[in-house]
Amino acid sequence: MVVELSKKDEKFRDLSLNGNIWKLIWKVSLPLAFYYTFQWLLGLFEMMMASHISALAVSATTYLSQLVNILNAIGSGLAAGCCVKISESYGAGKYDLVKKQLSTLIAMALILSGFIIALIPFTSTILKLLGTPESFIEIGSKYFIIKLVYCVLFILTTVYVGIERLRGKSKKLLILNLVTALVDFCLTWFFVYKLNCDVTMLAVAPVISTSILLVFGIFNLCFKNDAFSFSFKYVSFKKDITFPLLKISYPTMIERTFFQIGRTFMNVLASFYGELAVGALGLSNTINGIPYQTQTGFQDGGSAVISQNRGAKKIKRTEKIFNRIMIINLIIGFIAWILLNLFFNQISALFSTTAHGNDLEFQKMLINIFRWDSLGSCVPMGVSITCFAYLMGFGKTKQVLIINIFRIFVYRIPILFLLQKFTSLGPEATGIVMGISNSLTAIHIYIVVKLEMKKQCKMLENQENECE
């Protein structure tokens, strides 16, 4: 049986390989930017509502969510790496291989999901082994269990989102996300402000809303008969299918896992300044997430079309895509940095107001951390994200892994340890370290990308003599 593309997929492939680059980026990345920004808003609303319960609830949910994010990172890394290979095959016109890779990816995601479900009976032991503060276990153990269920849904929907993204179906993703965001927000608001529930119900709302997205994913991937549909017949664990998928995915899985582990270490070090410092740092990272999430939309859209053009051997076009995404992300970062710093006193008040009134100590701590954190989280992160798009598009997942190891374990954790050991700085030291590490990472990865571009150009000269 010959595997074919739908007419819409054929049209998008032609745009990706031959169409106007600005039009291509806006079509693929702009809806994704909105998609990720809405995801960020959900996390922000959850923290705001958690702060209504108590400042300790903010710290507990921040800490426990980041533990679950370690498992999320494995699943999202698997999806991201495999989607790069699928996108490359799509660009090269190998549609039978696209279907095999897609079906095998979904099968691997289901196996990983089963492993996570098997962890649920051992959650108390896991939290204690990880050194979770007793106060966090007491207030959030049930929250953590439900978050593990959400983790399974997240992994499966991430696979679906990744596949739709490389097909240029970004508008569909935006509409679906609006629906899930509305359901999530309404449920969370009802649980917290009307039923006065504890933090456990903060985890229930995302489970319900993400299930809606998963239902759409099942319908779109399992009940059609084209290259981008799942079929048990095309699932293959033979070496020629699984090895390329795992080879490109495992560095991304490790990188994203290390990144989350690094954040957990940062929380442990931040707890040196007290439990509230953990929540303040998490809030600062989340608020700085507005430019980051918007820029990530351009990263993921960009990496998809870069990999397609790489598959079609259009190397010079990949550089043009990179340059345009860099311009966009720098503008986003600069505007966000100005606006966030201008209005942060008002923003911080939203997250320091509990049912018992405004927590001025927590607000002051949040402001001090944020001012430094934002220096590295708006413009420098825009540079890093754009460079990650290029490296991921070329399948350079090992380089991405090495750079993120440097970011966490060279540029971040050791510097915070030194500041704690040899200075009298308070919680603001955590913000200073975030600013320094993100800025050094931006310089590091930009140099790596420029060297990679020269390498690709040289290879093209040797092979086809087309690179000027």
Side-chain angles (χ1 to χ4, degrees):
M1 179 179 177
V2 178
V3 177
E4 297 181 347
L5 292 180
S6 67
K7 290 183 179 180
K8 288 184 178 180
D9 289 329
E10 287 180 355
K11 184 178 179 180
F12 174 72
R13 182 174 180 270
D14 182 64
L15 172 64
S16 178
L17 303 183
N18 305 301
N20 181 275
I21 293 177
W22 283 112
K23 180 181 178 181
L24 172 66
I25 292 172
W26 292 125
K27 176 180 173 59
V28 176
S29 297
L30 189 59
L32 285 175
F34 282 114
Y35 173 84
Y36 291 129
T37 302
F38 280 121
Q39 289 292 98
W40 168 84
L41 283 171
L42 289 178
L44 199 62
F45 283 134
E46 181 176 319
M47 283 195 166
M48 190 184 301
M49 293 174 191
S51 70
H52 180 79
I53 298 171
S54 71
L56 181 61
V58 175
S59 296
T61 55
T62 299
Y63 184 94
L64 295 172
S65 291
Q66 289 182 359
L67 291 180
V68 175
N69 285 343
I70 294 173
L71 295 173
N72 287 345
I74 297 173
S76 64
L78 175 68
C82 290
C83 283
V84 169
K85 293 301 294 183
I86 295 170
S87 184
E88 184 181 327
S89 301
Y90 176 38
K94 301 175 182 178
Y95 307 134
D96 185 74
L97 183 58
V98 167
K99 193 174 182 73
K100 288 181 179 179
Q101 291 172 333
L102 182 150
S103 298
T104 304
L105 166 59
I106 292 174
M108 289 190 290
L110 289 170
I111 293 170
L112 177 59
S113 298
F115 169 76
I116 294 170
I117 292 295
L119 295 177
I120 290 178
F122 309 102
T123 51
S124 296
T125 304
I126 292 170
L127 290 175
K128 290 177 181 178
L129 288 174
L130 292 172
T132 305
E134 285 295 331
S135 58
F136 290 179
I137 295 176
E138 183 179 348
I139 195 176
S141 58
K142 292 180 181 178
Y143 173 90
F144 183 73
I145 291 172
I146 298 172
K147 273 291 186 180
L148 287 177
V149 176
Y150 168 75
C151 180
V152 170
L153 299 174
F154 172 83
I155 290 171
L156 297 176
T157 54
T158 298
V159 170
Y160 167 61
V161 168
I163 293 168
E164 292 291 69
R165 182 180 67 235
L166 67 87
R167 299 172 70 190
K169 305 287 186 178
S170 301
K171 287 184 180 179
K172 178 195 287 186
L173 293 177
L174 176 59
I175 294 170
L176 289 174
N177 186 67
L178 284 172
V179 173
T180 56
L182 182 61
V183 172
D184 196 333
F185 175 77
C186 291
L187 287 174
T188 305
W189 178 86
F190 181 72
F191 292 151
V192 174
Y193 293 104
K194 292 299 181 182
L195 299 183
N196 293 316
C197 295
D198 60 14
V199 296
T200 302
M201 298 306 291
L202 291 178
V204 172
V207 169
I208 296 173
S209 62
T210 307
S211 297
I212 296 173
L213 182 59
L214 181 59
V215 169
F216 277 95
I218 292 171
F219 177 79
N220 280 284
L221 294 179
C222 298
F223 295 99
K224 296 184 179 181
N225 192 31
D226 56 23
F228 288 102
S229 61
F230 172 78
S231 172
F232 281 110
K233 293 180 181 179
Y234 281 83
V235 174
S236 174
F237 291 104
K238 292 181 180 179
K239 185 177 178 180
D240 61 331
I241 299 297
T242 57
F243 183 75
L245 293 177
L246 293 176
K247 182 180 179 182
I248 196 172
S249 296
Y250 87 84
T252 308
M253 295 162 69
I254 295 172
E255 170 259 316
R256 296 190 180 192
T257 303
F258 273 21
F259 182 74
Q260 294 300 332
I261 291 173
R263 292 187 71 175
T264 302
F265 283 163
M266 279 293 293
N267 284 335
V268 173
L269 291 174
S271 66
F272 174 83
Y273 303 106
E275 291 176 342
L276 294 184
V278 177
L281 177 60
L283 269 174
S284 177
N285 293 159
T286 301
I287 295 168
N288 274 308
I290 186 167
Y292 173 79
Q293 295 297 340
T294 306
Q295 292 161 339
T296 299
F298 287 94
Q299 173 195 349
D300 285 356
S303 64
V305 295
I306 286 172
S307 63
Q308 288 163 23
N309 280 273
R310 178 205 177 200
K313 310 297 182 184
K314 293 179 174 286
I315 304 301
K316 292 198 291 184
R317 184 172 169 86
T318 64
E319 292 188 22
K320 293 177 181 178
I321 295 170
F322 169 83
N323 290 333
R324 285 160 175 76
I325 294 173
M326 180 67 78
I327 292 170
I328 294 168
N329 278 342
L330 288 176
I331 292 172
I332 292 170
F334 186 68
I335 293 173
W337 181 77
I338 292 174
L339 293 176
L340 286 173
N341 277 275
L342 278 176
F343 298 104
F344 196 71
N345 286 341
Q346 294 85 345
I347 294 171
S348 62
L350 296 173
F351 297 93
S352 56
T353 302
T354 70
H356 307 292
N358 191 22
D359 190 332
L360 294 176
E361 178 188 356
F362 184 72
Q363 183 180 10
K364 182 179 179 182
M365 185 186 298
L366 175 58
I367 292 171
N368 289 338
I369 292 174
F370 173 83
R371 297 298 185 197
W372 291 102
D373 188 4
S374 64
L375 290 174
S377 297
C378 293
V379 177
M381 282 300 291
V383 174
S384 297
I385 285 170
T386 307
C387 293
F388 281 132
Y390 183 86
L391 293 177
M392 287 297 297
F394 273 81
K396 303 298 179 179
T397 52
K398 289 183 181 178
Q399 291 186 15
V400 173
L401 168 62
I402 293 169
I403 290 165
N404 273 308
I405 288 175
F406 267 79
R407 171 161 59 175
I408 300 297
F409 298 104
V410 177
Y411 302 145
R412 186 169 296 174
I413 292 176
I415 294 176
L416 179 56
F417 177 78
L418 292 173
L419 290 179
Q420 290 179 342
K421 192 78 172 176
F422 299 107
T423 74
S424 58
L425 289 168
E428 67 272 14
T430 60
I432 292 171
V433 167
M434 294 299 292
I436 292 172
S437 62
N438 287 332
S439 298
L440 290 175
T441 302
I443 296 169
H444 183 163
I445 192 172
Y446 187 77
I447 293 171
V448 169
V449 165
K450 284 300 178 181
L451 291 174
E452 182 63 32
M453 284 182 174
K454 288 184 179 180
K455 177 183 174 182
Q456 293 294 332
C457 189
K458 188 69 175 177
M459 289 172 60
L460 194 61
E461 275 185 335
N462 294 337
Q463 292 175 6
E464 302 177 14
N465 198 29
E466 289 181 4
C467 186
E468 298 178 358

